[in-house]
Amino acid sequence: MMIDLLQIAAFNATYAQTIDSDALEQWPTFFTADCRYRVTNIENEAAGLPAGLIWVDSRDMLYDRITAMREANVYEQQRYRHLVGLPIVKSADRANAVAETPFLVVRTMHTGETTVFATGTYRDRFVVEDSKLLLAERVVACDSSVTDTLLVIPF
Amino acid sequence: MDEHKVRWKHDSNVRVPFAVYSDENTAAREQERIFRGAVWNYLCLDVELPRSGSYRTTFAGETPVVVTRDADGEIYAFENRCSHRGALIALEKSGTADSFQCVYHAWSYNRQGDLTGIAFEKGVKGKGGMPASFCKDEHSPRKLRVAVFCGLVFGSFSEDVPSIEEYLGDEICQRIERVLNKPVEVIGRFTQALPNNWKLYVENVRDSYHASLLHTFFTTFELNRLSQKGGVIVDGGGGNHVSFSMVEESSADASYKEQGLRSDNSKFRLRDTTVLELFPEIKDGITVQILSVFPGFVLQQHLNCLAVRQVLPKGTDHSELNWTYLGYIDDTPELRTVRLKQLNLVGPAGFISMEDGCVGGFVERGIAGAADLDAVVEMGGDATTSSEGRATEAAIRGFWKVYRQHMGQEGVK
């Protein structure tokens, strides 16, 4: 069966819920073991600049990010609400798919301050492994080049 | 206007009045006396203006500035303000232009910032137009002096500021040269909006005391920091600094991965330690070098992660930190990957130092009712000189020493 839009949309919904409900230990399980994950902005992407605020080339690095967040880093309590749009499926077959999906992340601080923290698109490459849909690559291309204060919870 | 809202209670800088971060008059005076005064403001990198006509827009403090490269290969900088009604002349962050034209009434400027054309200067059908006495040469936007050091482009509104080499000081020059010793290229740009006065960030950069206390990544993962030695260099004037960590020459080739990760019994372990792999390249044993130049420039070498940071004030209680990450043009793909991976350690999402983004806000909020009180800046006494070890606030005091000179706030009021 070919990977389809609905499958990717359902994947993204679960992905967003996992982050927003603070089940972050599960976040790496959406990726392949040798995944790529990068948070950048569209200006860097347009200019072909490879850097990322987060730059990952293994799933273990995703686990490490969550451990660091839980145990090491200092930040004020905050949570996200993702609104993830419908994916545009650029190509798909049984084992691979390329898609781009818009997102909005609203950040609520423990003080109650609620702001739009980021908007952008997920630029994704999916694969099927053991009949499970996984991200081989997710580039989080933020519309704005500005990050407020700090980025601790992943997008 | 309350001239005395900011009261320095000591000649030395062991106390910093909290009002200096919040007072509006102080903020306005900083723009005039510091950012448009006798300082060198970092503007951009030489390599960001690759050809004739390349330009970038940036700021000297809050004053908008255009930086250009003209056909003679030289770099010019001028205020990004049309001399007619004051609108921005250039709107984009960067681009290429033969000349500049204000969108409002089409007054035009060459790449050196000279006013060259006025729409309908002679009027329309003999009616209207500018008086014959109006002299375009006398109405260019203010120009900045430009100095380039190791590919870093600085600009100054002052005719009195010393040469860039003298301003930096010998030791700072050498420490810049050891990092920017060969051609670089930009590998990414990010801006961090900071919820605090700009001075809280430039103090944080000069504060070697907080590093292992606020930032607990290394201790949490029980990583043995290779860098056992360190020190702080404060330049003669006090405004510029370097804090550094180094390993002994003999072990400089050893990577963090080999030496830094131990203990099967540590509670938390990194699963992927490649993020800490050090690729020995400068080979003088210095693994971390954070360098600042008064008022708002930072050059970072953190392992192999190279960046320049530009601190810009945005009102009294906000600032912007522009990160420009660099690689050397001759990086191998493997080395480039090491550099990119180490981006995880620093910056707005950096494992080691993301806290620098929020801690200034904690101060900002903490001092909301304390305008008459002072911060204590007394680690290492009242010295503003270089020292071994990092339990000192000498570089912070050095900043305030130079700040007070510029602001005319020397002496006790």
Side-chain angles (χ1 to χ4, degrees):
Chain A
M1 205 177 71
M2 216 170 80
I3 302 170
D4 65 9
L5 180 144
L6 202 58
Q7 228 182 323
I8 294 172
F11 177 99
N12 283 334
T14 317
Y15 177 100
Q17 186 195 40
T18 300
I19 295 172
D20 295 353
S21 64
D22 195 35
L24 287 161
E25 283 66 17
Q26 296 303 308
W27 171 60
T29 66
F30 288 85
F31 293 83
T32 62
D34 60 352
C35 66
R36 298 296 184 113
Y37 173 82
R38 184 157 58 90
V39 177
T40 183
N41 58 58
I42 53 174
E43 287 177 28
N44 285 332
E45 285 294 279
L49 303 180
L53 292 174
I54 303 176
W55 195 100
V56 163
D57 66 358
S58 76
R59 185 169 57 205
D60 280 344
M61 288 179 73
L62 300 176
Y63 281 110
D64 289 340
R65 191 155 275 280
I66 300 308
T67 312
M69 173 189 162
R70 296 286 194 218
E71 307 299 337
N73 291 124
V74 178
Y75 51 91
E76 289 180 275
Q77 270 187 55
Q78 51 191 278
R79 61 170 56 118
Y80 292 166
R81 182 65 59 200
H82 279 73
L83 291 182
V84 181
L86 283 177
I88 290 170
V89 181
K90 299 192 165 175
S91 68
D93 59 25
R94 286 163 181 274
N96 299 277
V98 173
E100 185 165 335
T101 305
F103 68 85
L104 165 74
V105 174
V106 176
R107 184 185 62 184
T108 301
M109 303 299 294
H110 67 112
T111 54
E113 182 195 10
T114 299
T115 51
V116 173
F117 188 48
T119 67
T121 59
Y122 293 132
R123 300 175 180 186
D124 297 332
R125 198 158 48 78
F126 288 94
V127 295
V128 173
E129 276 183 14
D130 300 330
S131 63
K132 201 179 166 199
L133 192 63
L134 293 174
L135 282 165
E137 178 172 20
R138 169 158 280 185
V139 176
V140 182
C142 297
D143 293 321
S144 172
S145 56
V146 181
T147 303
D148 179 60
T149 307
L150 58 79
L151 170 62
V152 62
I153 304 171
F155 291 137
Chain B
M1 189 164 112
D2 183 1
E3 283 282 356
H4 300 291
K5 217 167 188 176
V6 176
R7 259 189 297 274
W8 294 87
K9 296 173 187 134
H10 294 258
D11 282 322
S12 76
N13 297 292
V14 295
R15 297 289 181 275
V16 175
F18 288 133
V20 82
Y21 305 106
S22 58
D23 180 48
E24 300 276 353
N25 293 330
T26 297
R29 212 169 311 152
E30 284 169 358
Q31 295 302 318
E32 177 201 334
R33 299 202 182 180
I34 294 179
F35 297 105
R36 291 194 302 275
V39 306
W40 286 106
N41 295 284
Y42 169 76
L43 299 177
C44 66
L45 296 160
D46 188 32
V47 294
E48 293 181 297
L49 303 168
R51 57 189 117 346
S52 167
S54 296
Y55 74 90
R56 292 192 71 80
T57 55
T58 182
F59 296 88
E62 292 186 339
T63 304
V65 170
V66 186
V67 197
T68 68
R69 191 184 294 278
D70 202 358
D72 60 2
E74 296 296 314
I75 295 173
Y76 296 86
F78 53 93
E79 193 180 5
N80 190 3
R81 174 187 57 85
C82 181
S83 39
H84 177 216
R85 300 301 307 276
L88 292 170
I89 296 168
L91 303 174
E92 302 290 331
K93 278 188 186 172
S94 65
T96 307
D98 291 331
S99 61
F100 297 90
Q101 192 175 65
C102 176
V103 295
Y104 200 172
H105 302 89
W107 286 33
S108 51
Y109 301 88
N110 65 20
R111 295 188 292 212
Q112 300 187 17
D114 302 311
L115 174 62
T116 51
I118 294 177
F120 306 126
E121 185 175 6
K122 308 284 180 212
V124 179
K125 294 182 180 166
K127 299 211 181 340
M130 294 295 280
S133 60
F134 185 83
C135 179
K136 290 200 286 289
D137 289 347
E138 291 170 6
H139 288 83
S140 295
R142 288 176 287 187
K143 295 181 180 183
L144 288 84
R145 283 172 65 193
V146 169
V148 183
F149 185 80
C150 284
L152 305 170
V153 180
F154 293 91
S156 180
F157 282 105
S158 166
E159 290 301 322
D160 305 323
V161 69
S163 73
I164 189 68
E165 289 82 2
E166 195 182 329
Y167 183 87
L168 293 168
D170 285 345
E171 283 186 288
I172 301 293
C173 286
Q174 287 163 21
R175 293 298 186 124
I176 294 174
E177 283 165 346
R178 72 171 275 285
V179 176
L180 300 177
N181 55 9
K182 53 183 176 172
V184 294
E185 62 185 354
V186 173
I187 60 172
R189 296 185 186 88
F190 299 91
T191 297
Q192 189 171 10
L194 299 174
N196 53 262
N197 185 272
W198 68 279
K199 298 186 292 299
L200 288 167
Y201 185 79
V202 300
E203 285 185 291
N204 173 277
V205 167
R206 288 163 172 80
D207 175 357
S208 53
Y209 173 34
H210 81 282
S212 62
L213 302 170
L214 173 65
H215 309 308
T216 62
F217 179 77
F218 278 99
T219 46
T220 299
F221 289 99
E222 296 186 40
L223 303 170
N224 242 344
R225 294 195 83 157
L226 276 179
S227 319
Q228 300 298 334
K229 287 172 59 185
V232 177
I233 299 168
V234 186
D235 92 326
N240 313 330
H241 109 291
V242 169
S243 55
F244 65 97
S245 303
M246 64 186 304
V247 293
E248 301 298 336
E249 292 283 345
S250 56
S251 63
D253 284 355
S255 72
Y256 268 76
K257 190 188 180 190
E258 288 160 359
Q259 293 211 359
L261 303 166
R262 63 179 164 97
S263 102
D264 292 327
N265 54 12
S266 71
K267 194 170 165 200
F268 304 106
R269 301 191 64 192
L270 282 182
R271 292 193 188 204
D272 186 339
T273 57
T274 59
V275 72
L276 293 169
E277 272 176 24
L278 173 66
F279 189 102
E281 55 180 341
I282 303 180
K283 303 197 190 229
D284 56 6
I286 295 173
T287 50
V288 177
Q289 174 183 291
I290 304 297
L291 179 153
S292 70
V293 176
F294 188 90
F297 172 75
V298 180
L299 173 66
Q300 162 202 307
Q301 175 229 335
H302 189 280
L303 311 182
N304 303 102
C305 185
L306 311 177
V308 295
R309 311 179 203 158
Q310 178 194 38
V311 187
L312 297 174
K314 301 284 172 189
T316 58
D317 57 357
H318 283 84
S319 46
E320 262 183 16
L321 184 56
N322 291 317
W323 297 78
T324 304
Y325 290 100
L326 306 175
Y328 296 117
I329 284 173
D330 67 359
D331 280 351
T332 60
E334 294 75 21
L335 179 49
R336 186 55 63 86
T337 299
V338 167
R339 257 187 247 295
L340 290 166
K341 208 173 269 201
Q342 290 177 6
L343 285 170
N344 289 290
L345 300 175
V346 292
F351 284 142
I352 294 173
S353 57
M354 69 169 71
E355 292 85 6
D356 291 331
C358 64
V359 76
F362 298 163
V363 175
E364 191 74 48
R365 285 146 62 190
I367 65 177
D372 296 334
L373 303 178
D374 298 328
V376 176
V377 187
E378 213 162 345
M379 286 297 284
D382 64 2
T384 56
T385 48
S386 304
S387 66
E388 278 187 36
R390 302 178 72 173
T392 175
E393 292 170 319
I396 299 178
R397 288 186 292 273
F399 170 82
W400 289 114
K401 182 177 156 193
V402 171
Y403 177 93
R404 289 170 72 176
Q405 288 165 3
H406 282 282
M407 293 290 282
Q409 294 181 352
E410 292 157 292
V412 179
K413 282 179 181 162

